[in-house]
Amino acid sequence: MRKAGLRGIKFHVYDDEAKFVDIGGETEAEESEMIVWSFAVVADKSLEDSEVKSFIEKLVYITMPMRDDDLWRTGDLLCAQNSFAHILLDKMEQVDDQGKLAMVNDKVNSTKEIMRENIELALEREETLEEMRGRAEELSGMTKQFKKRAKQVKRFKMIQNAKHGAIVGAAVTATAAVVIVPPLVALL
């Protein structure tokens, strides 16, 4: 029965062992025997493939000197248990500790990345705010200039209107005087 959160990985090492026989002072290969070393790891699915493969590689390298031992080569099933169990437990604890450390490092790195992005955004926002402040100051100066100029134009128009009013009033008065005064003078 398979458990949902686990997966297994196997790795095989092929080892040719040639048996040499001394025949009259000469060494000759008598027989070659193939030994297949099988390494299997059952790991949680949350671990990366690279982490599991790295663990298997470590097992292969750790057991290399032990695989030359006759007990390991010719012994019964689980004959190497006593000599290798404590080494395997130590390595598993190291992997567990390294896995926890790697998870913490991943979290720290992701937090660093988020903070870096937040700082960049804050700096960009600060630059944008500075630009907006500069534009606001420019607009404020332009607004003051516009108000001043608008007052000048308003005064100019009022003076122009007053001049035109005076001219039109004078013209109307003069016209009225020319039209009305001679008949009045004639009547009098």
Side-chain angles (χ1 to χ4, degrees):
M1 181 165 88
R2 257 187 186 187
K3 193 161 186 176
L6 301 177
R7 65 187 163 140
I9 295 180
K10 284 196 279 185
F11 184 73
H12 300 287
V13 176
Y14 297 92
D15 193 0
D16 275 335
E17 179 185 89
K19 292 186 179 179
F20 296 95
V21 177
D22 188 14
I23 302 175
E26 290 184 26
T27 306
E28 290 185 19
E30 181 180 280
E31 184 179 317
S32 180
E33 182 179 309
M34 172 70 75
I35 296 177
V36 179
W37 300 93
S38 292
F39 294 85
V41 173
V42 177
D44 190 71
K45 283 188 177 181
S46 64
L47 291 174
E48 298 286 327
D49 279 344
S50 59
E51 292 172 321
V52 178
K53 288 177 182 177
S54 172
F55 182 74
I56 288 179
E57 284 179 19
K58 287 178 185 174
L59 284 179
V60 170
Y61 288 118
I62 289 169
T63 60
M64 195 177 293
M66 296 172 200
R67 290 190 307 238
D68 291 334
D69 186 1
D70 284 336
L71 177 66
W72 277 57
R73 289 185 168 275
T74 60
D76 291 332
L77 184 66
L78 299 178
C79 64
Q81 188 79 15
N82 291 333
S83 63
F84 188 64
H86 67 282
I87 295 171
L88 182 60
L89 285 173
D90 288 344
K91 291 300 172 188
M92 287 173 62
E93 286 175 5
Q94 285 178 2
V95 167
D96 188 40
D97 291 343
Q98 290 171 353
K100 289 177 184 174
L101 182 62
M103 287 190 316
V104 169
N105 283 338
D106 285 345
K107 287 182 183 177
V108 167
N109 289 338
S110 66
T111 304
K112 279 183 184 177
E113 185 63 27
I114 290 170
M115 288 304 294
R116 186 187 60 75
E117 290 173 3
N118 287 344
I119 289 170
E120 286 178 4
L121 289 173
L123 291 174
E124 288 175 9
R125 188 179 315 139
E126 185 64 30
E127 289 173 4
T128 305
L129 287 174
E130 287 297 321
E131 288 175 11
M132 292 175 92
R133 284 186 195 118
R135 288 181 187 169
E137 288 174 6
E138 284 179 26
L139 287 173
S140 176
M142 291 171 68
T143 302
K144 288 178 184 176
Q145 186 69 21
F146 179 79
K147 284 181 181 179
K148 183 178 177 183
R149 187 76 178 131
K151 281 183 182 179
Q152 289 175 346
V153 168
K154 187 176 178 182
R155 281 190 195 130
F156 178 76
K157 285 294 183 184
M158 284 175 42
I159 291 171
Q160 289 288 52
N161 287 340
K163 284 181 184 177
H164 287 124
I167 291 172
V168 169
V172 168
T173 305
T175 305
V178 169
V179 173
I180 297 176
V181 172
L184 275 178
V185 171
L187 282 172
L188 279 172

